[in-house]
Amino acid sequence: MDDSLLPPYFRRFRRIYSCELQLMSFLPELQSRTASRLLATQIGELIDFCRTRRNTLELLALEHPVSAAGDQCSEMARLIQSQRQLLSGEVASHLQNDFVSDICEAVHCKLIQDYSLARSFASKLKFQEDAKKFDEVIDQLMTRFPRLWDRMDLGVLESAA
């Protein structure tokens, strides 16, 4: 095991945890703004999905000498803030159909990249249980947001150009 990978792994771990907490604070705010029962239910499902991921991270943290706290993840904070601004006047009207995928895709695209990097670190560190859990989370994210494949392919193409 390459011990030099431990600090970046734990930084990534804390970053993901912070992202999940920020998302969990953002979604209930949106849920409270909508008059649509269907939309409120969809957002509630996302909150539960985030809570499950947060719980997974907390259980993994128990196995390591790492605190999940510590990284405020400014990039995720900027993404969420931009979504708040985008939604300021639209929650009650526009968001009936594509809200969950349209609004949350940018945030979850960032999350899946972070989870993928954490999985890579875990594999290199031979933290097999961590790598397995990150794989499961990535699979769940890709199942929940299938359009992320397109966004991620586009991101790869843009970065290669």
Side-chain angles (χ1 to χ4, degrees), residues 41-54:
T41 300
Q42 289 176 322
I43 295 171
E45 290 169 359
L46 274 178
I47 293 168
D48 291 341
F49 189 40
C50 291
R51 186 174 296 119
T52 299
R53 295 190 314 256
R54 183 212 53 204

Side-chain angles (χ1 to χ4, degrees), residues 73-160:
C73 194
S74 59
E75 188 175 353
M76 180 62 75
R78 281 192 303 273
L79 269 173
I80 288 176
Q81 185 58 33
S82 72
Q83 299 302 323
R84 279 188 171 112
Q85 291 171 353
L86 180 71
L87 291 169
S88 60
E90 299 183 16
V91 174
S93 58
H94 154 74
L95 300 175
Q96 300 305 313
N97 297 319
D98 291 328
F99 159 75
V100 173
S101 58
D102 289 348
I103 299 304
C104 292
E105 274 186 5
V107 171
H108 284 88
C109 191
K110 172 70 182 120
L111 266 176
I112 200 157
Q113 292 167 351
D114 284 341
Y115 274 108
S116 296
L117 188 55
R119 178 191 56 201
S120 178
F121 277 128
S123 293
K124 288 178 182 174
L125 288 164
K126 305 216 183 316
F127 293 161
Q128 299 309 321
E129 187 61 29
D130 292 22
K132 179 181 170 195
K133 290 294 182 186
F134 290 136
D135 264 336
E136 290 171 6
V137 169
I138 292 166
D139 287 345
Q140 292 165 357
L141 283 165
M142 297 310 281
T143 300
R144 180 71 173 91
F145 299 101
R147 293 187 337 180
L148 286 178
W149 285 113
D150 295 335
R151 287 186 76 118
M152 292 180 72
D153 287 344
L154 181 62
V156 169
L157 291 174
E158 287 174 354
S159 66

